Amino acid sequence: MPTLKMILNGQEVFVDVEAGDLLADVLRDKLGLIGTKISCGEGECGACAVLVDGRAVDSCLYPALKAQGREVTTIEGLGQDNRLDPIQQAFIDKTAPQCGYCIPGMVISAKALLDENPHPTRQEIEEGISGNLCRCTGYYQIIEAIELAAERLAEKGGPK
Amino acid sequence: MWDEYLFPASLDEALEMLEAHGGEARIIAGGTDLVLQSQRGQCSAKVMVDITRIPGLDYIEERDGLIYIGAQVTHGQVAASPLIRSRAGVLAQGCGSVGGPQIRNVGTLVGNVVNALPAADGAIALFALDAEVEVAERAGRHWTPIATLYAGVGLCTVDPCAAMITQLRFRALGKGEAGAFERLAKRRALVLPILNAAAIVGLKGNKVERARIAIGPVAQTPFVAAEAAEALVGRTPDEDRISRVAQLAAQAAQPRDSLLRGSAEYRKVMAGVLVRRALWRAVEAASLQEGEDANS
């Protein structure tokens, strides 16, 4: 069984995987990081989005071994219970989550967007989360949350 | 799903791996389609040969008026490339329409071609650009027109268990030339197109010197409306002429009834609408571009 070595949320991790394992399953079932959700399982909803070397990917379609030697960030890597990422805090302050299932993916996409483009227009935000579906259709609050996060990050001197 | 997942360090090693497994191994790049095909039992290969870590396949560059795109280049990289946006904008628009950002970050343009689907947004733009494809086999490498790769819906003449596409090339659009991509779908992201169309127009003065129109999915393979495009050449691209050319393109298109995409009747009419819009935008951009060059 091959060993996958990656930097997961800042820590070096070794995990034995099957050749056909997908990253989403390894994260959830082998590493217990269940913040990453699986919904459609075919790259249409974005609930499984994680960052690989800073870029958002759908982990349900991503062969786990592609992450070999890469830096992977999941929703668990953005903040902890008492120290949330500014994007997470903005989602709470704008009441962006309804059922909440899409939110880890939305936050990951927002993180990828703001890291690359700290001052997005509304249209750029819409495009940034266009790979994520929310079945509660709470898009407005999500967009407003990302705008708020961008403002707060700008005050602090940019995203980290 | 798979028994082995390999990372060759060179093109030669990749082809050796394929040969060593005698049809049981196949090339994988982004895998955004292949993972699903494997899960659904549509891909029998048990060994994946991942080409995304081979050095030197990640370029988008221009040499002698041709643009070359390596096999590792993702839709996202094409869509964001300043070179593609300025010299082949139609392809940037096509690649920017594929899936959503997460898919575009992983899926490759060459993969879009290998999958040989008549609706593929990147491939439709490549057909309009009259692209060529380089195929690497153990026997050597050769260039071939993109259309020669398509043998039917999802059928590529390049066998990914024995060969791979290493790069694409096409002529960069120059003075007085521009393209445009149009797409009809239920949403603007994450859905397959009901129809898409790409058009390229080259102007000299107020006459069309060169035109190409590609439409999908209205046939088993991406469809090039050659006769319609020919009816534009040598003419002044006014509203009447463009409408007539778009009608010719729609008449030549042969969409099927589709539960997913709508009736053949509806899609035939809409093919004309998309072609008209694409031609009109291409003509506007081309005349703007010709004007700018004349002023500079």
Side-chain angles (χ1 to χ4, degrees), chain A residues 19-20 22 41-44 46 49 55-58 61-63 65-68 70 109 127-128 130-133 139, chain B residues 1-5 7 28-32 35-36 39-40 50 52-53 100-106 187 189-190:
Chain A
L22 299 170
E42 51 187 37
E44 290 192 3
R55 275 205 298 271
V57 309
D58 285 337
L61 286 186
Y62 199 81
L65 286 166
K66 268 191 181 291
Q68 190 70 262
R70 305 287 194 221
S109 285
E127 281 165 16
S130 64
N132 298 77
L133 295 183
Y139 292 106
Chain B
M1 192 160 69
W2 305 321
D3 297 336
E4 260 186 290
Y5 199 95
F7 287 105
I28 183 171
T32 48
V35 165
L36 290 174
Q39 285 175 339
R40 292 167 182 164
D50 187 317
T52 58
R53 296 192 185 198
Q102 297 96 297
I103 301 292
R104 294 196 292 272
N105 281 339
V106 179
R187 297 177 75 239
L190 288 176

Side-chain angles (χ1 to χ4, degrees), chain A:
Chain A
M1 200 181 269
T3 301
L4 167 61
K5 175 189 158 193
M6 58 185 166
I7 309 293
L8 178 58
N9 297 331
Q11 298 215 317
E12 197 172 55
V13 167
F14 295 83
V15 54
D16 289 338
V17 300
E18 305 278 354
D21 279 352
L22 299 170
L23 185 57
D25 298 320
V26 171
L27 292 171
R28 289 179 54 87
D29 299 342
K30 296 199 166 156
L31 297 166
L33 296 178
I34 56 171
T36 298
K37 306 302 180 195
I38 298 176
S39 181
C40 73
E42 51 187 37
E44 290 192 3
C45 78
C48 65
V50 302
L51 301 179
V52 176
D53 287 350
R55 275 205 298 271
V57 309
D58 285 337
S59 61
C60 78
L61 286 186
Y62 199 81
L65 286 166
K66 268 191 181 291
Q68 190 70 262
R70 305 287 194 221
E71 263 184 56
V72 176
T73 305
T74 68
I75 189 71
E76 289 90 346
L78 291 197
Q80 282 95 46
D81 283 348
N82 299 316
R83 194 170 48 80
L84 295 179
D85 184 276
I87 300 173
Q88 292 171 311
Q89 189 59 53
F91 269 64
I92 293 170
D93 295 344
K94 285 286 177 182
T95 331
Q98 293 187 44
C99 87
Y101 205 78
C102 72
I103 294 299
M106 288 285 185
V107 171
I108 288 288
S109 285
K111 173 78 177 156
L113 172 70
L114 295 181
D115 281 351
E116 200 185 314
N117 176 5
H119 305 290
T121 63
R122 206 172 170 94
Q123 193 188 337
E124 286 167 340
I125 292 173
E126 288 174 10
E127 281 165 16
I129 58 167
S130 64
N132 298 77
L133 295 183
C134 165
R135 272 200 66 185
C136 309
T137 68
Y139 292 106
Y140 281 103
Q141 290 87 336
I142 290 169
I143 291 164
E144 284 170 9
I146 297 170
E147 283 177 328
L148 178 61
E151 279 168 32
R152 287 178 177 170
L153 285 163
E155 283 164 18
K156 279 179 149 186
K160 281 240 166 64

